[in-house]
Amino acid sequence: MTAVRGHLTQLDFHQEFRKWEYPPPDRLFDAPVQTIYPNDMKNIAQNIENQARQADILYIWTDCDREGEHIGSEIREAARKGKRNIQIFRARFSNIERAHILSAARRPVALDDRQAEAVAARIELDLRIGSAFTRFLTLSLRPLGGAMADLLLSYGSCQFPTLGFVVDRYFRVRNFVPEPFWSIKVMHEKEGVKVNFNWSRNRLFDRLAVLLFYERCLAAKIAKVTDVKEKQTKKWKPLPLTTVELQKMATRFLRMTGQEAMTVAEKLYNKGFISYPRTETDRFDKGMNLRALVQKQTQDQRWGPFAQNLVDGAFQQPRQGRNDDKAHPPIHPITYAAPTVLDDQEKRLYEFVVRRFLACCSEDARGATTDVDITYGEEKFVAHGLIVHQRNYLDVYPYENWTGTAELPRFTVGEMFEPTEAMMTEGKTTAPSYLTEADLIALMDANGIGTDATMAQHIEKIKERQYVQVVERGGNGGGGNDEDDGAAGGARGGRG
């Protein structure tokens, strides 16, 4: 048994095409390329070749996605250098539960060459397009001198559309012109409770029209209750944790960038405390023993009592999301990690992963809502009340909130009253905020820019290139992305 650490090979141009000054950038679109082993991968490839000489069968257990299939094909080629006729099988698995691993070992399949070739095609496109446009941009702007003289202006197939998100938001903020609007608010005090009724029109941008509606309300004097709706409601517990969600939550609540979160998660994974942190899956396999994982968390002083309550009978199966990459389960704790064995960042991230997992295994929060509709001078208003009866998962998951309001007094349909207060209010529209890193990751995910495993790297790359800067809230904020452009070097796997 042996291992690899990602892609073994790298695609690069022949030596005569690696100079920036000549040939011109457009020649890179049809220049010959070669597959090589980078220096840091030569020993690994040699090890596979040596191991193959002593074996008759090779089982490949790489990730069951396109990247894993391509890595598997690289392993196959290295093994065949050691023994041309070695038998090669591929194991299909999505988690490391014992029964699942045994099942995968008993039912091996062949490598999917179509998936591997798709990745190879993408790697070649990234190399050719990234290198050609990076050289073109850099060489075209370098004669301007100044800051441009020594600046590398890179192009990546993920960088420009993502940079477009940042630029679009920037101009929306800079070009924003506030508009005045007016609204009507009604308040009525009953049984010692002040009940605020919101106008069904919300707001209008015509002051005279709002003034007319407001005067009609005052002239009517009396408001009438037209409907009272009471119903049970709930706040759904979170879905199992994916890489994208981990990065978004880390930037919002853990004071980390997406790249920092992934680095810390990798450390926790390598130490055996959490599962593999690069996954698009938001549903657990039905065969996983989740109760056993909950049991391991009962010893913690912070969330241990909550975990024990789940073990004692409150355990609920997690929600089933729509995404399953067939390669890895959602991110979850593997075993308990005492605070003394973790550094500060690891503590915060591990705590989040555990609390998210326990929340997934709990019940939805439950409550009751009351909506009271009134008509006042032919205008409609509504008051909303929420009472939280059972917090359930919220007791262990402080990253979400569901705050109840004061219980509304009893209203009955047909009831008439003179509002305690009616006001015509004025305000102005506000500009959208600059993008946060969490916003940018969400836009990248929604538009298929990069992968869950590379989004944070793209954002860091665009910061390094000085295309954007990150500032504290209240100023310009933003982020971007970029795939390694391969302008001076080759391209490995990793979607761009």
Side-chain angles (χ1 to χ4, degrees), residues 449-465:
I449 307 300
T451 68
D452 56 350
T454 62
M455 289 179 188
Q457 298 170 12
H458 299 329
I459 294 173
E460 287 303 309
K461 179 65 70 175
I462 205 170
K463 294 178 191 175
E464 293 173 9
R465 293 287 188 255

Side-chain angles (χ1 to χ4, degrees), residues 362-374:
S362 182
E363 289 192 56
D364 300 327
R366 299 184 181 276
T369 60
T370 302
D371 291 313
V372 179
D373 296 338
I374 65 170

